[in-house]
Amino acid sequence: MEYLLTIPGTLPNLNDYIAAERANRHKGAKMKLGSGNIVSAAIRQCMRGVMVEKPVFIEYTWIEPSRRRDKDNISSFGRKVIQDALVQCGVLKDDGWKYVVGFSDRFEVNRENPRIEVLIKEIK
């Protein structure tokens, strides 16, 4: 089985999160919580009732409004927030090695419709 999760817009990048953590640990926690809430809302909309029992491979497509942000900064914080939200919402049992066997990243630009597409593929 394959499941597609679409998250509208963009999430903060790793540099934003590090800056927030350095400014005040509560500010960093608030940023992670806010991002998690955005992802959780998308999960509830796109994946209502989905509970994946098997290990998965996750394909991320990061569709940015421009090429301004570095690819590694976009995906680093985003993957963490998305996988944590998938566990919190009950879609995945855990995001450890046993349940997430790997992931890949692709990057595109679309000024009118930035988003994150997360394709979750069950592994047999």
Side-chain angles (χ1 to χ4, degrees), residues 12 17 20-21 24-37 77:
Y17 178 68
E21 277 288 317
N24 180 312
R25 66 184 169 140
H26 299 291
K27 187 175 180 182
K30 186 176 180 180
M31 178 183 285
K32 187 172 184 289
L33 179 64
S35 297
N37 288 339
F77 180 71

Side-chain angles (χ1 to χ4, degrees), residues 1 11-13 15 18 22 41 44 53 58-59 65 72 77 91 93 95 102 108-109 114 116 119 121:
M1 290 289 295
L11 295 174
N13 66 31
N15 287 343
I18 290 170
R22 287 182 179 164
R44 284 190 295 275
E53 300 288 330
I58 304 174
E59 294 179 3
D72 60 337
F77 180 71
V91 174
K93 283 188 176 191
D95 59 349
E108 298 176 13
V109 175
I116 304 161
L119 183 62
K121 296 181 172 184

Side-chain angles (χ1 to χ4, degrees), residues 58-121:
I58 304 174
E59 294 179 3
Y60 294 94
T61 303
W62 309 91
I63 304 167
E64 290 282 303
S66 69
R67 296 175 191 256
R68 288 187 165 188
R69 304 192 310 166
D70 292 341
K71 292 176 180 178
D72 60 337
N73 286 321
I74 294 167
S75 60
S76 300
F77 180 71
R79 277 194 311 266
K80 174 68 176 157
V81 170
I82 293 167
Q83 288 177 198
D84 286 352
L86 286 167
V87 172
Q88 184 179 9
C89 290
V91 174
L92 300 179
K93 283 188 176 191
D94 190 32
D95 59 349
W97 287 50
K98 184 176 178 182
Y99 296 99
V100 178
V101 300
F103 50 83
S104 65
D105 294 302
R106 283 190 13 217
F107 299 88
E108 298 176 13
V109 175
N110 184 326
R111 293 187 196 288
E112 290 77 36
N113 187 19
R115 63 196 180 279
I116 304 161
E117 294 178 352
V118 183
L119 183 62
I120 301 167
K121 296 181 172 184

